[in-house]
Amino acid sequence: MKLILSTVLISCTLLVGCGDQWLEKSQPSTSTESSEAIKSAREAQYALNGIYDILRGSEYYGARMTYYGDVTGEDMLSNGDTKRAAKYYLFDFNKDNTPSSLWYQPYRVLRNANGVLAFVNGVEKEQLTDELNDIKGQALTLRALAHFDLVKVFGDPYTKNNGASLGVPIEIEKHNSTNKPARNSVKEVYTQILDDLENAVTLLSTAKKNGKLNKFGAQQLLARAYLYMGENSKALTVAMQLIKEAETTQSSTKGQYLLWTNSEYASVWSKDFTNEVLFQLSIVKTENGPGKEGIGYLLWRNGYNDIILSDDYMKLIKDDSNDVRHKVITKYTSKQVDYYYLNKYPGNTADGENPEFADVPVLRLSEGYLIAAEAAVKLNDNANALKYLNAIVSRANPAKSVSGVVTLERVMEERRRELVGEGHRLFDALRNNMRIERKGSAHNSPSLRPETKSFDRTFFKTLMAIPRIEIDANKNIVQNDGY
């Protein structure tokens, strides 16, 4: 059993609608979340718990946001055209049938985070305690994460035109349902993300808080944001600082984070709150969670059997039969066809859990190393590119390492190998103006078209349509081009 305070029932008195189902409750972002004002640090903590509960719902990180970036790439696919992930994999959405969840759920996070911030910002400076500063830091980080997710899914990559494209409406004030905001630019959204994260890093505790964000989680998000913007010097600086500080010896006020070792890699996915995971969403049997709609159950062959690995991915990883990452993949053969299943979400087997109750790692230190390696490549800093890339390569197989000049393509290959199933691939390709090529035989759906088998960021459906319900509720919202 996960040792985490159960406060969901109390949290739900401060946040509306804690439960999520596959058949989503479509609501526009103008919907009001809660009129309850937070009056104490304790209530603010409950409100934060409610925000984390939104994140772990199946319509957000509990499933949809986690698999979206992978099934829209080449390394994972829907195991059939009627599965839950099928329409995302096939890019089979239009302006009328695009689901609202990846728009609405982040806006729920935004307005509830703003409620917490309104409370803390109303406290006199001399009365601000370490607890209140940490609460504010968490709320700022959650607000940045939600804005980041929105602008990734609905806005062009910052690197396409220095953020000049339409992004999403920024929401940093108490929500007013009569307000009809227009879309801010991608650059304006990223400016807000940076402002929130830079402030959060100065406020957050370095202590481990199982299931919650701390300073290191905020630092990694900040490094990721800089990388997405092409601010490679800043991305490298923040990532290096994060790694150095996170790996410093544990103390009474600081958690220690280290890369998993080669020997523990295969089994560590079934354990809770391990030393590489900077931020993990806890799924507890006795609390409200994504259940069978969660990412673990969707990837499980004995569950909904919804999402599988492609032979594009297997070809990539088969170049090294001793790569430890093979051990989190299961092969199943039926009617002379091989199917490959990713086992990153098995649940805590020591507690008798199955993938229905799998925790969701949102931020891993491995990504921090790969951010540093990518930024270093783009800065022609080959020494650091080798250092941070080889930490991941040699962990996968201690007999292997990269030498010579590291290329961006090599770092992107390693990101594919290491971060598959964690929601990154589509966004990695788009921000680097790379092409997705679905070449493997597993990509055999008759519903795939030439433009959904080989595409880059010029394909309009790499951005989701703004949901119809949002357009209808707010006439100031402009739809994405092509829809």
Side-chain angles (χ1 to χ4, degrees):
M1 180 65 68
K2 301 170 180 68
L3 299 177
I4 187 168
L5 183 62
S6 177
T7 55
V8 171
L9 290 177
I10 302 173
S11 303
C12 286
T13 66
L14 295 170
L15 288 86
V16 172
C18 284
D20 292 313
Q21 302 296 327
W22 178 39
L23 298 175
E24 60 185 35
K25 302 172 289 297
S26 295
Q27 296 187 58
S29 67
T30 52
S31 299
T32 299
E33 192 70 24
S34 175
S35 59
E36 294 284 340
I38 297 169
K39 304 179 181 67
S40 67
R42 185 179 183 183
E43 288 187 0
Q45 294 282 15
Y46 291 153
L48 284 175
N49 290 337
I51 297 171
Y52 289 116
D53 192 56
I54 295 171
L55 289 182
R56 65 181 179 168
S58 64
E59 292 182 358
Y60 206 177
Y61 276 95
R64 200 164 291 177
M65 189 68 206
T66 301
Y67 70 66
Y68 174 76
D70 283 294
V71 299
T72 47
E74 71 273 72
D75 293 331
M76 302 194 81
L77 64 144
S78 173
N79 191 20
D81 288 355
T82 61
K83 295 290 188 175
R84 286 157 176 76
K87 285 187 176 291
Y88 297 91
Y89 167 65
L90 298 169
F91 292 93
D92 193 25
F93 288 122
N94 57 47
K95 64 183 178 63
D96 295 316
N97 69 1
T98 293
S100 66
S101 54
L102 294 183
W103 180 274
Y104 175 57
Q105 298 301 336
Y107 274 108
R108 290 183 67 201
V109 169
L110 289 178
R111 64 183 52 106
N112 285 296
N114 288 336
V116 175
L117 291 167
F119 162 69
V120 180
N121 290 338
V123 176
E124 296 292 336
K125 186 175 181 179
E126 59 271 16
Q127 295 180 316
L128 286 173
T129 61
D130 289 344
E131 180 188 17
L132 287 173
N133 281 327
D134 189 73
I135 287 170
K136 182 176 181 177
Q138 288 184 67
L140 286 169
T141 307
L142 289 163
R143 188 167 76 179
L145 176 64
H147 276 130
F148 203 166
D149 290 338
L150 285 162
V151 79
K152 285 191 305 183
V153 173
F154 297 100
D156 279 320
Y158 189 100
T159 52
K160 181 178 180 179
N161 52 18
N162 200 35
S165 303
L166 287 176
V168 295
I170 295 171
E171 188 163 328
I172 58 173
E173 302 292 341
K174 181 175 173 59
H175 184 65
N176 181 348
S177 61
T178 63
N179 188 29
K180 308 293 183 185
R183 296 172 68 177
N184 291 89
S185 70
V186 168
K187 185 173 185 177
E188 289 169 334
V189 179
Y190 271 93
T191 298
Q192 184 61 52
I193 292 167
L194 295 182
D195 185 62
D196 282 348
L197 290 173
E198 288 168 352
N199 285 328
V201 166
T202 68
L203 297 167
L204 281 164
S205 165
T206 58
K208 275 193 174 182
K209 294 177 293 202
N210 291 343
K212 294 188 176 183
L213 286 155
N214 67 4
K215 176 183 177 179
F216 302 124
Q219 279 182 304
Q220 184 150 304
L221 273 178
L222 180 59
R224 185 196 289 179
Y226 280 133
L227 189 72
Y228 272 54
M229 296 174 71
E231 294 279 0
N232 299 305
S233 180
K234 292 179 179 178
L236 179 58
T237 297
V238 174
M240 290 172 63
Q241 180 182 9
L242 155 68
I243 293 164
K244 181 180 179 180
E245 292 182 3
E247 293 182 346
T248 302
T249 305
Q250 183 170 334
S251 69
S252 59
T253 59
K254 179 197 166 296
Q256 183 179 29
Y257 298 86
L258 299 167
L259 290 179
W260 295 326
T261 65
N262 174 272
S263 62
E264 67 185 346
Y265 193 92
S267 61
V268 76
W269 297 94
S270 64
K271 299 176 182 178
D272 298 329
F273 308 120
T274 57
N275 59 358
E276 181 176 312
V277 180
L278 303 177
F279 174 44
Q280 177 171 319
L281 293 167
S282 175
I283 311 300
V284 183
K285 286 183 179 180
T286 56
E287 293 185 355
N288 186 51
K292 288 183 170 64
E293 298 301 334
I295 186 68
Y297 208 79
L298 297 184
L299 269 62
W300 189 27
R301 187 175 70 82
N302 294 324
Y304 283 147
N305 193 14
D306 204 290
I307 302 167
I308 57 176
L309 289 164
S310 72
D311 39 351
D312 292 304
Y313 182 77
M314 296 311 300
K315 181 179 179 181
L316 180 70
I317 201 171
K318 278 180 178 176
D319 66 359
D320 180 6
S321 61
N322 293 317
D323 190 319
V324 74
R325 290 168 293 205
H326 284 285
K327 295 182 179 180
V328 293
I329 298 170
T330 301
K331 176 182 174 181
Y332 174 75
T333 303
S334 176
K335 298 179 181 179
Q336 298 183 319
V337 177
D338 295 334
Y339 298 87
Y340 296 93
Y341 293 86
L342 183 65
N343 301 320
K344 285 186 173 180
Y345 304 94
N348 189 324
T349 53
D351 287 345
E353 293 180 351
N354 66 37
E356 178 181 350
F357 304 104
D359 285 358
V360 182
V362 179
L363 296 168
R364 285 201 294 130
L365 191 58
S366 286
E367 185 198 352
Y369 274 80
L370 291 166
I371 289 170
E374 182 181 342
V377 166
K378 292 174 177 177
L379 293 167
N380 297 314
D381 181 353
N382 199 60
N384 274 319
L386 284 168
K387 174 182 176 180
Y388 291 106
L389 179 61
N390 275 325
I392 304 302
V393 172
S394 298
R395 189 264 302 277
N397 181 352
K400 295 278 187 177
S401 63
V402 176
S403 60
V405 177
V406 181
T407 64
L408 178 60
E409 288 73 21
R410 182 63 186 85
V411 176
M412 289 299 103
E413 283 183 6
E414 201 61 31
R415 283 185 68 94
R416 287 174 63 190
R417 289 185 177 95
E418 180 60 36
L419 301 178
V420 66
E422 299 176 52
H424 295 274
R425 176 56 185 158
L426 176 69
F427 307 117
D428 287 348
L430 297 183
R431 63 187 175 79
N432 283 298
N433 198 19
M434 292 179 168
R435 197 163 191 86
I436 297 287
E437 299 276 4
R438 293 168 161 179
K439 296 178 178 179
S441 60
H443 297 295
N444 59 12
S445 167
S447 298
L448 283 172
R449 306 178 303 281
E451 65 269 26
T452 55
K453 293 195 76 170
S454 176
F455 55 89
D456 60 18
R457 67 190 187 190
T458 63
F459 177 43
F460 75 96
K461 285 198 171 183
T462 56
L463 304 187
M464 286 195 73
I466 308 297
R468 176 65 180 270
I469 193 169
E470 185 68 25
I471 299 288
D472 290 345
N474 181 1
K475 299 303 181 183
N476 293 321
I477 294 289
V478 177
Q479 184 58 273
N480 278 326
D481 289 343
Y483 289 100

